[in-house]
C-alpha cells in the first residue's frame, strides 16, 4: 500500500497543453486587466485579478496534481477533484469579470478581423442567450452532475481516459454556465431577479444533498472498481464512499449557502434607515404603505374568519378532536403508536402547528380548544380578580415550558396515551379555573406554555394582524377594538391595535376584527424578517408588551424555544438517549424525577446565562471599539431574536420526520379507535412495525427536506446577526469583528443540528400499515 501511495504522490502530471493554455490565458487576462484598470478602476480592483488567477491555479491543480491519479484509487480524492472543477474554479474565474479583459488582452487585429465578424452574427447571439439562461445553467450543471455519477457512466470514466476528460469538461463548462447567473460578471445583464438566485442556489443544494445522501447512506458500494484497485489509505471502499458523500454534502452545501447568505444580506440591507434617528425610523415604519393582500378580504377564508362564529367553528373541531384523544388515551390500547393520544398530539398537531406558523401564523391559538371551557367560565360571572402584578410577565411560562419539554421526555408522553390524556385534562382545567376567576386572557398571556411557543415563533410568520389606516383609528372615539361594545368584546390581551406591532401575545381570536365598526383591521402579508428590521432600527414600543429590549423574560422564552429544538431532537438519537440514561443513573431512583426536573430548569437558565455572557462580551467589545453600542439588555434581546429562525428551522426539520414517518398510520389508527370504543364499522386495523427509511430514496428525500429547513433557518439567522452587528457598530469592519463570535456560536449550533439530523432517529413505537 505504501508503494502505491508513494507512486501516486509523485504523479504530478504537468500536462503541457493544459499548463501552457492556462499560463497563456493568465497573461492575456493580465494584459487586458491593466488596460481596463486605467479606465475603469471601480470595475476592476486588484482583487478581481487575484480571483481570476486563483481560478486558473485551482483548475491546474484539479487536472495536473496527484488528485487526478488518486481519483482512480480513492472516491474521496475524485470527489475533491470534481468539487474544484465545479464549485471552486468556475466562480473564481467569473469573479474576475473575464470577458472584456480577455478580449482587450488579445492582439487588436485578431479581435477585429478574426473574432469581430462572428460576434455580429445572429446565431452567435442566440447561442450566447441560451447558454446564459438560468434554466439552462441549472439544468446543465445538475444533469451533468447526476448523469456522470450514475454507476455505469462513472465506471466508464475510470476505464477510459478519453471519457474521463469528457467528464471533466462537462463538469467545468456546465458549472461555468451555472455560476454565470450567480456572479453575473460585467458587462452581462441579470436575466432574472436576485431574489430568484436564492431559490436557484438552494434548489441546486437539494440536488447535491440527495446525491450525497445516497452515497453516504446506501450501505452498498456504488462503484465496484474501488473494491478491486490497491488501497492507498486505511479507508475501506465503503467507508471511502461514505467519506466522499459527506465531503460533497457538507462542503458542497457551504459553497451554495455562502453566496446565498451574501445575496440575502445585500438585498435586505436597509440602507435608507442606517443613519435615521430611532424615532424617525419608527415613524417611517408606521407610515409605510401596507401590502395590498389582506387575508380577511379574500373571498372564502376572509369571510369565514370575519364571521361571528368562524373561530368558534374551528374551536369546536379542535374540541371534538381533543375529546377523541382523551377518550382513546384513557380507554384504548396503551401502546402509543396504536392510540390516537400517542400519535395525533405529538406527531400530527405539533408538526401541523409549526407548518402553520411558517406558512400562515398562529393558527393553533386561533383554533385552540382550551378556550371553549374558558368561555363557560366567563359566563359564570366570577372573573372579578385582576391577575397579580408580580406575575404579569413570562417567567411562569418559562418554567412551565421547560417542565413541559422535560415531562415529554421523562414520562415518555409519545408512548403514554393515558398520561397524554391526563395532561390535556389538566390543561383544560387550568384554562377554566384561571379564566373563571381572573379578568382578561390571563391564561393565554401569562401561563400557557404552548401559547408562548406560538407567540415568539409567529414573529417570523408571513402574516400579521394590524390596521389599515392610522387616520381612521385616530378619528375613532369609541376604541371598540380594545373596549368592546354591546355586540362584541374587545381584545382581552390588552393589545391596542393602533399601537400593536408584531404578533407577540396575539392569539388571532378575531375579537378586534368583529368589534371594529370601521372594518379597519386586516391580516396583511408581511416579510418574515420584518421583526429584525423593526427591532434593530427602531426597537418600537409595543402595545401591552413595551420594548423587547426591556423584556428579559420574552428573550429567555425565545432562547428556550431555540435550545429545546436541538435538545428535543438530540434525545431521539442513540448518543443522546444514552447520555440522558447515563445521567439518570447518577442520582438515586427516589429523587430521579425531582432532580431531573430541577436539572432541566437549571440547564435552561445556564444556556440563557451563557447567552447573556455572550451579549455582555459583545457589548463590551462595542464600547472598546469606540462604536455606538447599545445596552447589554438590548444586545441580549436582539441576540435571542436573531437565533429564532435557526430554532424554528430545527423544530420544523425534526417534526417533519415525525409526520413523514407516521402519516401512513392514519387509517389503521382510525380503525383501531373504532375497534377500541366498540364502533366496528371499519375493518380491523393492520399494523406493521416501521423500519427506518433513511437509507431508501424516500428517506434521502426526507433528509434533504430536513436539511433544507435547517439551512433556511441558518441563512435567516446569519442575516439577522449581521443586521444586529451593523445596528451596533459604525463600520463594516467593526461589524464583522462583532459578528464573528456570535456567528461562531450560531454555526456551532447549526453544526450540532446538522449532525443530529444525520443520525438514525429512534422510532419510539411508530407504526405503519403492513
Amino acid at each position: 500500500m505504501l508503494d502505491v501511495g508513494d507512486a501516486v504522490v509523485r504523479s504530478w502530471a504537468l500536462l503541457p497543453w493544459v499548463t501552457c493554455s492556462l499560463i497563456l490565458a493568465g497573461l492575456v487576462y493580465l494584459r487586458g486587466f491593466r488596460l481596463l484598470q486605467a479606465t475603469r478602476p471601480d470595475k476592476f480592483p486588484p482583487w478581481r485579478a487575484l480571483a481570476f488567477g486563483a481560478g486558473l491555479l485551482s483548475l491546474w491543480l484539479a487536472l495536473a496534481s496527484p488528485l487526478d491519479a488518486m481519483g482512480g484509487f480513492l472516491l474521496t480524492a475524485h470527489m475533491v477533484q470534481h468539487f474544484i472543477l465545479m464549485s471552486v474554479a468556475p466562480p473564481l474565474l467569473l469573479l474576475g469579470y473575464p470577458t472584456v479583459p480577455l478580449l482587450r488582452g488579445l492582439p487588436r487585429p485578431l479581435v477585429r478581423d478574426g473574432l469581430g465578424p462572428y460576434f455580429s452574427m445572429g446565431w452567435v447571439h442566440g447561442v450566447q442567450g441560451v447558454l446564459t439562461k438560468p434554466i439552462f445553467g441549472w439544468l446543465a450543471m445538475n444533469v451533468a452532475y447526476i448523469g456522470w455519477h450514475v454507476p455505469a457512466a462513472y465506471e466508464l470514466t475510470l476505464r477510459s481516459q478519453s471519457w474521463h476528460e469528457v467528464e471533466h469538461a462537462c463538469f467545468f463548462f456546465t458549472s461555468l454556465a451555472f455560476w454565470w447567473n450567480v456572479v453575473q460578471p460585467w458587462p452581462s445583464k441579470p436575466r432574472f431577479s436576485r431574489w430568484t438566485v436564492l431559490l436557484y442556489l438552494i434548489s441546486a443544494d437539494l440536488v447535491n444533498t440527495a446525491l450525497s445522501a445516497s452515497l453516504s447512506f446506501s450501505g452498498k458500494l456504488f462503484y465496484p472498481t474501488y473494491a478491486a484497485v490497491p488501497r492507498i489509505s486505511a479507508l475501506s471502499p465503503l467507508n471511502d464512499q461514505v467519506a466522499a458523500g459527506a465531503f460533497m454534502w457538507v462542503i458542497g452545501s457551504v459553497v451554495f449557502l455562502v453566496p446565498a447568505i451574501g445575496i440575502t444580506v445585500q438585498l435586505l440591507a436597509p440602507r435608507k434607515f442606517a443613519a435615521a434617528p430611532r424615532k424617525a425610523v419608527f415613524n417611517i415604519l408606521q407610515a409605510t404603505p401596507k401590502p395590498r393582500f389582506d387575508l380577511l378580504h379574500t373571498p372564502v377564508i376572509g369571510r369565514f374568519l370575519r364571521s361571528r362564529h368562524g373561530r368558534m367553528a374551528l374551536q369546536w373541531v379542535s374540541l371534538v378532536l381533543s375529546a377523541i384523544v382523551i377518550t382513546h388515551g384513557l380507554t384504548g390500547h396503551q401502546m402509543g403508536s396504536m392510540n390516537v393520544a400517542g400519535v395525533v398530539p405529538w406527531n400530527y398537531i405539533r408538526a401541523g402547528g409549526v407548518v402553520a406558523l411558517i406558512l400562515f401564523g398562529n393558527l393553533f391559538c386561533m383554533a385552540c380548544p382550551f378556550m371553549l371551557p374558558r368561555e363557560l367560565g366567563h359566563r359564570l360571572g366570577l372573573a372579578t380578580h385582576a391577575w397579580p402584578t408580580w406575575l404579569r410577565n413570562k417567567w411562569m411560562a418559562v418554567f412551565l415550558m421547560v417542565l413541559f419539554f422535560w415531562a415529554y421526555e421523562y414520562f415518555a408522553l409519545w408512548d403514554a396515551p393515558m398520561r397524554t390524556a391526563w395532561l390535556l385534562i389538566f390543561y383544560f382545567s387550568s384554562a377554566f379555573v384561571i379564566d373563571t376567576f381572573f379578568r382578561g386572557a390571563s391564561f393565554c398571556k401569562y401561563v400557557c406554555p404552548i401559547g408562548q411557543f406560538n407567540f415568539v415563533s409567529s414573529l417570523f410568520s408571513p402574516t400579521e394582524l394590524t390596521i389599515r389606516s392610522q387616520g381612521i383609528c385616530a378619528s375613532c372615539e369609541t376604541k371598540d377594538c380594545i373596549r368592546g361594545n354591546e355586540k362584541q368584546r374587545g381584545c382581552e390581551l390588552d393589545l391596542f391595535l393602533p399601537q400593536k406591532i408584531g404578533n407577540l401575545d396575539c392569539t388571532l381570536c378575531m375579537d378586534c376584527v368583529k368589534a371594529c365598526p370601521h372594518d379597519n383591521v386586516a391580516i396583511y402579508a408581511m416579510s418574515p424578517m420584518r421583526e429584525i428590521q423593526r427591532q434593530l432600527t427602531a426597537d418600537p414600543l409595543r402595545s401591552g408588551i413595551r420594548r423587547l429590549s426591556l423584556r428579559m423574560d420574552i428573550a429567555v422564552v425565545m432562547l428556550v424555544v431555540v435550545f429545546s429544538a436541538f435538545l428535543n431532537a438530540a434525545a431521539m438519537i442513540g448518543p443522546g438517549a444514552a447520555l440522558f440514561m447515563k445521567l439518570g443513573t447518577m442520582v438515586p431512583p427516589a429523587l430521579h424525577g425531582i432532580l431531573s426536573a430541577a436539572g432541566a430548569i437549571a440547564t435552561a437558565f445556564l444556556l440563557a446565562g451563557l447567552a447573556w455572557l455572550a451579549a455582555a462580551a459583545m457589548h463590551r467589545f462595542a464600547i472598546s471599539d469606540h462604536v455606538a453600542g447599545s445596552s447589554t439588555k438590548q444586545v441580549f434581546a436582539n441576540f435571542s431574536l436573531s437565533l429564532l429562525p435557526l430554532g424554528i428551522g430545527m423544530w420544523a426539520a425534526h417534526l417533519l420526520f415525525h409526520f413523514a414517518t407516521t402519516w401512513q398510520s392514519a387509517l389503521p389508527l382510525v380503525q383501531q379507535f373504532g375497534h377500541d370504543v366498540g364502533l366496528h364499522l371499519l375493518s380491523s386495523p393492520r399494523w406493521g412495525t416501521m423500519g427506518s427509511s433513511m437509507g431508501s430514496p424516500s428517506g434521502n428525500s426526507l433528509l434533504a427536506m430536513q436539511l433544507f429547513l435547517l439551512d433556511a433557518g441558518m441563512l435567516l439567522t446569519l442575516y439577522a446577526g449581521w443586521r444586529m452587528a451593523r445596528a451596533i457598530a459604525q463600520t463594516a469592519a467593526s461589524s464583522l469583528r462583532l459578528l464573528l463570535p456570535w456567528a461562531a456560536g450560531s454555526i456551532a449550533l447549526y453544526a450540532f443540528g446538522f449532525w443530529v439530523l444525520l443520525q438514525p432517529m429512534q422510532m419510539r413505537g411508530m407504526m405503519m400499515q403492513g
Side-chain angles (χ1 to χ4, degrees), residues 9-31:
V9 171
R10 296 175 182 273
S11 61
W12 283 87
L14 294 179
L15 299 178
W17 69 272
V18 172
T19 304
C20 293
S21 298
L22 295 178
I23 291 175
L24 179 61
L27 293 175
V28 171
Y29 176 88
L30 284 177
R31 181 175 183 269

Side-chain angles (χ1 to χ4, degrees), residues 27-45 49 100-108 111 186:
L27 293 175
V28 171
Y29 176 88
L30 284 177
R31 181 175 183 269
F33 184 85
R34 291 182 61 187
L35 294 173
L36 285 167
Q37 198 177 31
T39 57
R40 293 181 176 270
D42 56 325
K43 291 288 185 185
F44 292 94
V100 178
L102 288 174
L103 290 175
R104 288 292 302 271
L106 291 171
R108 187 176 294 272
V111 176
W186 181 84

Side-chain angles (χ1 to χ4, degrees), residues 697-740:
S698 59
N700 291 334
S701 301
L702 171 61
L703 186 56
M705 289 187 286
Q706 287 181 287
L707 294 176
F708 168 75
L709 291 169
L710 185 64
D711 290 346
M714 184 62 187
L715 182 70
L716 295 179
T717 283
L718 287 179
Y719 162 72
W722 171 251
R723 288 290 313 280
M724 179 180 68
R726 290 296 286 143
I728 296 174
Q730 291 178 335
T731 66
S734 297
S735 299
L736 186 60
R737 290 195 297 272
L738 192 62
L739 176 68
L740 285 177

Side-chain angles (χ1 to χ4, degrees), residues 573-596:
I573 63 175
L579 176 61
F580 288 126
M581 186 175 296
K582 184 177 180 180
L583 292 175
T585 61
M586 299 172 63
V587 299
L591 300 177
H592 187 264
I594 296 175
L595 292 180
S596 61

Side-chain angles (χ1 to χ4, degrees), residues 307-349:
S307 67
R308 181 171 182 82
H309 301 293
R311 187 203 183 195
M312 186 172 290
L314 295 176
Q315 290 176 306
W316 274 107
V317 171
S318 298
L319 184 65
V320 170
L321 181 59
S322 299
I324 292 174
V325 169
I326 292 173
T327 300
H328 205 206
L330 294 176
T331 64
H333 197 294
Q334 288 304 299
M335 179 180 287
S337 56
M338 298 174 65
N339 193 296
V340 173
V343 176
V344 172
W346 307 117
N347 296 330
Y348 294 171
I349 294 179

Side-chain angles (χ1 to χ4, degrees), residues 473-485 496 515-518:
C473 285
S475 62
C476 178
E477 297 181 356
T478 57
K479 312 299 181 187
D480 296 37
C481 62
I482 190 75
R483 296 174 181 169
N485 49 48
F496 184 45
C516 179
H518 311 291

Side-chain angles (χ1 to χ4, degrees), residues 18 23-24 63 134 225 235 257 301 304 345 411 475 570 606 617 722:
V18 172
I23 291 175
L24 179 61
L63 299 175
T225 295
L235 289 173
L257 293 178
I301 297 177
F304 174 79
F411 294 110
S475 62
L606 174 62
W722 171 251

